[in-house]
Amino acid sequence: MHLESLANELLLYLFEFFDGIQLLRAFHDLNSRFNHLLYNHYRVYRIDFRSISKYQFDDLCQYCLPSITDQIISLTISDDDETPNLPAIFLSYNFTLDKFTRLQSLSLYSIQSFAQLSQLIYQCHQLPHLTRLRMIDGYNDDRNNDIQFLINTIWSLPKLQHFYLNYHSSSKTWLSKISTMSLSIEKLSIENIACTLRDVSHLFKYTPSLQHLSTYIHFNLEDEQIPIVTSSIRSLKLTFESSVPVLMNVFQMMPNLNSLELKTMGIYLTGHKWKKILMKYLSHLKIFQLRMYFEFSHRRNVHEQFNKLIESYRNSFWIEEHQWFIQCDCISFGEYHHGILYTLPYRFDTFVC
């Protein structure tokens, strides 16, 4: 069977399995029928400019992109080592985001120029269907005015539902600079930027519709006395490096939590203590994924500590009522012994030896 013998409906279905750039490179100008399908009927292009060659990018911008700007639903722009200066070249072709009228998702990778980044973010206000924004490894200047401008421009996007921010930043001012209310953001992921419980409380104040949160809370003594502000959070993915009182404050903020993925460092809690905490603060919890990294006391027998810890998780609360099964590994570093306790199954994102 020849590809051209397939009905148009089947071809359009097959197109959905292609990345937008691969699709255009494979079928553009093959014949008039395929051009008609590409430019008049296919409506869900996903264009990812990462790893594209300069020649392919120029060719696409000159001959293909002007005809499909209103058919692109997802766009990724990158300025990393593989695509240097791509945003500037993209803008030089007179492409502005307001032309991408059906765009639903925008991803911005490694854009170091604040002028380019702010220009693109500002243009997002002209996108009536934009619900998802991702910013990864980009502008990393700690100037507060710049950060405040960016974060409040994002928070003012009227239809934005999911914002993903992954910056390797020493700045801890991102969340604290929010001063614009967003009633649309429901899912927020913040990686590699440490925040305090006060930052999280401030976030809840300006993001009242937030239901899913992924973040990293770092130790801060003031967090143990911060007033509790409850939120609408249903799902939490948290990397936590602070004290047990602060952790309980976090849980008090989220009484309706039903899904928790938690990584802790420096906290040692037995199964009995976890049971008391979960029953007191998170009575609606259904999904619990835990990775607890800690150090065994070197003043006591490590083998006895290990067995006692494991035994504390072998009761009806863990095994029968919730079916949360626990494994613990002991790692020796000279005379020190570190433990990693985690629920099963668990997918580690880094190699642990």
Side-chain angles (χ1 to χ4, degrees):
M1 178 181 290
H2 296 288
L3 183 65
E4 292 186 67
S5 67
L6 296 177
N8 288 345
E9 291 79 8
L10 280 176
L11 289 172
L12 290 171
Y13 174 74
L14 291 175
F15 285 176
E16 295 183 19
F17 292 90
F18 287 82
D19 166 80
I21 294 175
Q22 294 174 338
L23 179 64
L24 290 166
R25 292 190 63 205
F27 297 105
H28 167 68
D29 268 353
L30 191 62
N31 58 41
S32 60
R33 181 193 177 196
F34 278 102
N35 276 359
H36 186 71
L37 290 175
L38 290 173
Y39 297 115
N40 296 97
H41 292 281
Y42 190 63
R43 312 294 297 178
V44 286
Y45 282 97
R46 294 171 175 83
I47 301 295
D48 187 342
F49 284 129
R50 288 175 296 173
S51 303
I52 192 173
S53 70
K54 177 66 164 55
Y55 172 80
Q56 292 171 0
F57 178 75
D58 287 335
D59 188 66
L60 191 72
C61 288
Q62 291 177 33
Y63 302 110
C64 300
L65 209 59
S67 301
I68 61 168
T69 51
D70 62 344
Q71 298 163 243
I72 296 173
I73 63 170
S74 176
L75 178 64
T76 299
I77 299 175
S78 174
D79 191 13
D80 60 13
D81 293 339
E82 294 189 38
T83 53
N85 208 34
L86 185 145
I89 302 172
F90 177 80
L91 293 170
S92 72
Y93 277 106
N94 200 30
F95 287 118
T96 54
L97 291 184
D98 61 291
K99 296 178 180 178
F100 297 79
T101 55
R102 297 185 68 243
L103 194 65
Q104 300 172 21
S105 175
L106 175 65
S107 299
L108 304 173
Y109 282 79
S110 303
I111 299 182
Q112 304 299 331
S113 166
F114 177 75
Q116 292 174 1
L117 184 59
S118 60
Q119 182 178 355
L120 290 168
I121 295 297
Y122 185 77
Q123 290 175 6
C124 287
H125 281 275
Q126 307 300 318
L127 302 173
H129 302 290
L130 185 70
T131 60
R132 183 183 178 94
L133 175 64
R134 294 163 55 87
M135 292 169 51
I136 298 96
D137 290 337
Y139 175 75
N140 194 16
D141 195 316
D142 288 347
R143 287 178 291 182
N144 291 341
N145 291 339
D146 289 353
I147 292 174
Q148 186 167 14
F149 173 83
L150 282 176
I151 203 76
N152 284 313
T153 303
I154 292 167
W155 249 247
S156 64
L157 294 173
K159 296 292 183 67
L160 187 66
Q161 295 177 7
H162 181 191
F163 178 46
Y164 177 84
L165 178 67
N166 186 348
Y167 274 28
H168 292 271
S169 174
S170 59
S171 174
K172 299 181 180 180
T173 62
W174 281 85
L175 295 183
S176 64
K177 290 299 175 181
I178 301 173
S179 59
T180 300
M181 183 79 69
S182 171
L183 299 177
S184 63
I185 295 178
E186 298 178 353
K187 186 173 183 179
L188 177 63
S189 302
I190 303 172
E191 297 188 15
N192 295 310
I193 299 178
C195 61
T196 67
L197 193 56
R198 187 174 299 278
D199 293 331
V200 174
S201 180
H202 183 79
L203 168 70
F204 291 162
K205 179 180 177 182
Y206 287 94
T207 324
S209 300
L210 191 62
Q211 296 183 30
H212 309 277
L213 175 64
S214 176
T215 190
Y216 165 40
I217 293 180
H218 191 264
F219 183 75
N220 189 312
L221 285 174
E222 295 179 358
D223 283 345
E224 296 189 5
Q225 287 79 39
I226 190 170
I228 302 301
V229 179
T230 57
S231 75
S232 57
I233 298 292
R234 299 290 187 272
S235 173
L236 175 65
K237 181 179 179 182
L238 177 63
T239 300
F240 186 82
E241 191 173 0
S242 190
S243 64
V244 173
V246 174
L247 184 62
M248 289 190 288
N249 280 351
V250 172
F251 292 160
Q252 286 183 74
M253 287 181 165
M254 308 173 191
N256 297 316
L257 202 65
N258 56 46
S259 177
L260 174 61
E261 183 178 339
L262 178 64
K263 298 178 185 179
T264 69
M265 287 165 279
I267 286 179
Y268 178 93
L269 289 172
T270 66
H272 304 307
K273 291 180 179 178
W274 268 120
K275 176 183 175 181
K276 291 180 180 179
I277 292 172
L278 296 177
M279 290 182 67
K280 182 176 181 180
Y281 299 111
L282 301 178
S283 59
H284 299 288
L285 195 65
K286 301 298 181 184
I287 300 172
F288 184 38
Q289 292 180 287
L290 172 66
R291 192 212 69 180
M292 186 171 68
Y293 187 86
F294 59 94
E295 184 178 335
F296 286 106
S297 173
H298 62 277
R299 296 186 179 89
R300 296 160 52 199
N301 184 283
V302 173
H303 185 70
E304 290 182 3
Q305 292 181 72
F306 181 89
N307 289 336
K308 187 175 181 180
L309 177 63
I310 288 294
E311 192 63 32
S312 70
Y313 290 90
R314 291 174 177 168
N315 54 60
S316 60
F317 174 83
W318 292 92
I319 297 174
E320 298 173 13
E321 185 177 347
H322 294 286
Q323 296 186 345
W324 294 333
F325 303 105
I326 299 295
Q327 180 164 321
C328 186
D329 298 329
C330 184
I331 304 172
S332 298
F333 296 96
E335 61 182 35
Y336 295 96
H337 300 274
H338 293 231
I340 303 178
L341 184 142
Y342 50 95
T343 52
L344 296 173
Y346 191 88
R347 180 181 60 85
F348 286 89
D349 51 13
T350 55
F351 179 74
V352 180
C353 59

